[in-house]
Each structure stands twice: as C-alpha cells, then as structure tokens.
Amino acid sequence: VLFGETTTLGLRWHREQRTTLRRTARRVSTPWGELDLKEGWSGDDLLTLQPEFDQALALADAAAVPVRRVLDAARAAADRPRE
C-alpha cells in the first residue's frame, strides 16, 4: 500500500524493544491539596517519581501560586515517611 499510494522509493524499518520500570501510584498532601504521584521502581529501588502535572496545575491555578511550587511540595511530601 505504501509504495502504491506514495512517491517513496524506499522504506526503512527495524524492530524495537522497550524496557519499563514497575509503576506504582500514591497520593500525597501539599499545602494546596492532595495529588497523585507516579513512582518508577527497579526491583526494590525507587528510581523516579513524578507528580501528576494536570492535578498540580489545577491546584496551582486555584491557589494562584506557580505550578513549580506545587510540584516541589509534592516531591517533598513524597520524601517524608508514609503514615
């Protein structure tokens, strides 16, 4: 179909593999409200965590603060021991 429907004379293709971290989610509290975090694990090691940006943006807009402050507060809350 590609050669018959386009003017291309060639096509490159290759196989890909994807390696992913095991993911978990949890909720943390910030001074502006609660939001979800995504955590990326390799075995028992937590390698990365990311707050849900859309939730952080909504909290920041509602409180008229920069979204960076909400994101930073969420990451700081994640560093505190779970209750």
Side-chain angles (χ1 to χ4, degrees):
V1 171
L2 185 67
F3 293 115
E5 298 293 327
T6 69
T7 60
T8 190
L9 298 175
L11 175 67
R12 288 191 178 112
W13 65 275
H14 56 35
R15 292 179 188 231
E16 291 185 28
Q17 286 185 303
R18 182 175 182 218
T19 302
T20 61
L21 298 173
R22 179 175 51 89
R23 296 178 188 184
T24 58
R26 69 173 159 139
R27 199 153 181 81
V28 295
S29 293
T30 73
W32 304 280
E34 293 187 344
L35 71 151
D36 297 313
L37 290 173
K38 294 176 283 191
E39 300 172 318
W41 297 84
S42 178
D44 292 334
D45 297 324
L46 177 63
L47 300 182
T48 185
L49 60 88
Q50 292 299 322
E52 288 290 346
F53 186 82
D54 292 344
Q55 294 175 8
L57 183 60
L59 292 174
D61 285 346
V65 298
V67 69
R68 171 63 53 202
R69 285 185 66 192
V70 177
L71 292 169
D72 290 346
R75 288 185 184 103
D79 288 339
R80 291 192 292 269
R82 295 182 190 196
E83 294 178 358

